Every structure is written in C-alpha cells, then in structure tokens.
C-alpha cells in the first residue's frame, strides 16, 4: 500500500518535470533512472553491499515504472528503450562459480523491474519489440542456480505470456480469447522460432533424467505454446503443430 501511494506521487511529480523547458528540470527523471541503473551495475561486484534482499524488489519496480510511463510520447519513449536494454544486459550477466547470493541481487532486481514494465498497459505497444529477447532471458533464468532469480524469472515469464496473448475475458463456457495460431505467433515474433527450437532440441538431446533444467525448460515451453490455438481449430493450416 505504501509503495502504491508513493508511486502515484512520483508519477505526478515526473509528469510535471517532463513538461519543463529548463533542461535542469526536465532531465531529472532520466538522471534518476540512470543513477539507479548505475547502482544495480555496481552491485554486481561481490564486495558491494549497497543493495539488500527485499520481496520483489520492494518499491524499485514502481519507481522506474513511474518515471517511464510519464515520458511524453513526443520523445518516442527513448528513456524506456534505454532502460530495458540496460536491464537486459544486466540480467544476462553470467554468474561465476562460487559467487554468493548477494552478488546476484542486482540481476533479481533487474528481472523484477522488467516484470513491472511488461505488465504496464501504457507501455504496451512500445515495449513489444523487446518481448522476444526478454522471453528467452526469462526461460534461461528459470534454470538459474540462485532461487531468487528462478523465482523472479517465473514471474517475468507470466507477465510476458500476458503481454503476448492478452488476458482471457471469455466466460468459462466460451472458447478462450487469449489465443492465436502458430503463424500469427511467429509472424509477430519471428526471432523466437529458431531460438525456442534450439532450446527445445538441446533439452531433448541431453535427455538426462537427473538434470532438472531440461524439465523446467520443457515445462515453460509447453506453458507458452498452450496459448496457441491448435491448427484444427483454425482455418490456418500452418498453425503450430
């Protein structure tokens, strides 16, 4: 409740700041979000203790969200694109063997911020170009050795599924509305086809019953493709098989 209340205040403040003609004022939101990104990058060092463990990163996601949604459309959401690219690079950082959980906190915070951004309806059409790469990161994160990153990755994956397929608004007795054919899905996200195929092929080829990573990857891929209509339910004969 506190985070929600503070978020609305930050949103109103940023709406005013973006409108000022004075660069000393209208550049403050960008400076604040860059400072946060700098803190997250610095915390990648095992010796840095500036970040702490908080449930779903506490107010960080709402803080970034409040800045990005208020940027005027005339600026082409440049701040949002910069933030997402930086966060994706942060999350993709490899974890060295023997690293402590504290050293991966910034990655968990990055995933939680991405999750909030992909859930934000106001950013919907502008954030779509980043769906494919972020979805791959989410699936890879589900097999991470650190529980906090695995947990955050599942939440990000669910947010992405909602962004891709939408929310089911049909009644229980009616066909689900949040579905699409295979052709439509991969026409929207063409880069996903080879990448998901490679991940699935690798998981099947390894075939180790002792490796839970493969099972988790296959489970996530099945969950994602369950939102795609069977080709028998559509006139599209090239639907996902």
């Amino acid at each position: 409740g506190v985070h929600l209340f503070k978020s609305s205040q930050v949103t109103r403040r940023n709406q005013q700041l973006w409108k000022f003609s004075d660069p000393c004022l209208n550049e403050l939101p960008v400076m604040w979000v860059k400072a946060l990104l700098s803190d997250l990058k610095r915390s990648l060092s095992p010796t840095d203790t500036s970040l702490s463990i908080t449930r779903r990163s506490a107010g960080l996601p709402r803080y970034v969200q409040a800045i990005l949604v208020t940027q005027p459309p005339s600026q082409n959401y440049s701040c949002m694109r910069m933030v997402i690219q930086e966060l994706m690079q942060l999350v993709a950082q490899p974890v060295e063997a023997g690293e402590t959980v504290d050293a991966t906190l910034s990655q968990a915070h990055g995933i939680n911020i991405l999750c909030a951004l992909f859930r934000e309806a106001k950013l919907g059409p502008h954030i779509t170009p980043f769906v494919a790469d972020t979805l791959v990161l989410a699936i890879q994160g589900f097999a991470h050795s650190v529980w906090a990153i695995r947990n955050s990755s599942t939440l990000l994956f669910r947010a992405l599924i909602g962004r891709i397929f939408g929310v089911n608004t049909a009644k229980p007795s009616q066909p689900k509305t949040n579905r699409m054919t295979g052709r439509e899905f991969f026409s929207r996200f063409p880069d996903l086809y080879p990448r998901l195929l490679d991940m699935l092929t690798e998981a099947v080829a390894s075939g180790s019953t002792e490796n839970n990573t493969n099972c988790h990857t296959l489970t996530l891929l099945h969950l994602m493709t369950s939102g795609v209509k069977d080709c028998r339910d559509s006139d599209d004969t090239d639907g996902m098989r």
Side-chain angles (χ1 to χ4, degrees):
V2 173
H3 294 155
L4 184 60
F5 174 71
K6 292 296 183 181
S7 175
S8 62
Q9 291 183 323
V10 174
T11 299
R12 288 194 296 269
R13 180 187 61 185
N14 288 324
Q15 286 174 336
Q16 295 174 341
L17 289 174
W18 286 114
K19 296 177 181 179
F20 284 111
S21 57
D22 186 352
C24 294
L25 294 175
N26 64 29
E27 292 180 2
L28 282 176
V30 177
M31 293 174 57
W32 291 334
V33 78
K34 285 184 176 180
L36 174 59
L37 292 173
S38 178
D39 289 341
L40 291 175
K41 292 178 183 178
R42 187 174 65 251
S43 68
L44 285 172
S45 172
T47 60
D48 185 88
T49 58
S50 59
L51 295 181
S52 59
I53 298 176
T54 52
R55 184 175 182 270
R56 298 186 183 179
S57 302
L60 285 182
R62 288 193 175 277
Y63 175 74
V64 176
Q65 190 179 32
I67 293 177
L68 300 187
V69 298
T70 54
Q71 185 176 21
S74 59
Q75 298 186 20
N76 199 26
Y77 293 92
S78 57
C79 188
M80 181 208 70
R81 289 187 277 108
M82 179 272 293
V83 169
I84 293 181
Q85 290 171 350
E86 292 282 350
L87 289 174
M88 290 176 63
Q89 293 177 7
L90 176 72
V91 172
Q93 290 291 322
V95 177
E96 301 295 334
E99 270 193 341
T100 63
V101 175
D102 290 341
T104 61
L105 279 177
S106 59
Q107 291 166 300
H109 288 315
I111 296 173
N112 290 333
I113 295 172
L114 285 172
C115 184
L117 297 182
F118 279 97
R119 284 176 173 168
E120 175 54 58
K122 294 180 180 178
L123 299 176
H126 310 285
I127 207 171
T128 300
F130 300 97
V131 165
D133 290 336
T134 310
L135 182 62
V136 173
L137 281 178
I139 294 176
Q140 293 172 340
F142 197 64
H144 202 280
S145 58
V146 177
W147 180 87
I149 294 182
R150 291 200 306 270
N151 182 57
S152 296
S153 295
T154 59
L155 298 175
L156 176 59
F157 181 83
R158 176 50 59 187
L160 289 165
I161 291 299
R163 175 59 55 199
I164 294 172
F165 298 106
V167 179
N168 181 33
T169 58
K171 297 180 180 179
S173 59
Q174 298 175 335
K176 292 184 178 180
T177 58
N178 57 334
R179 295 194 176 190
M180 66 179 72
T181 63
R183 171 179 288 180
E184 181 182 0
F185 178 83
F186 288 115
S187 66
R188 291 185 181 182
F189 311 102
D191 293 340
L192 275 179
Y193 184 85
R195 300 173 75 174
L196 292 178
L197 181 61
D198 289 343
M199 295 175 68
L200 183 59
T201 302
E202 181 181 353
V204 173
S206 59
S208 174
T209 58
E210 298 180 356
N211 190 345
N212 290 330
T213 299
N214 299 336
C215 297
H216 296 329
T217 303
L218 289 170
T219 300
L220 284 172
L221 289 173
H222 173 71
L223 176 61
M224 188 196 68
T225 55
S226 66
V228 182
K229 287 182 180 178
D230 192 292
C231 59
R232 293 171 296 181
D233 299 330
S234 172
D235 294 333
D236 183 1
T237 57
D238 293 327
M240 179 174 286
R241 300 179 185 276

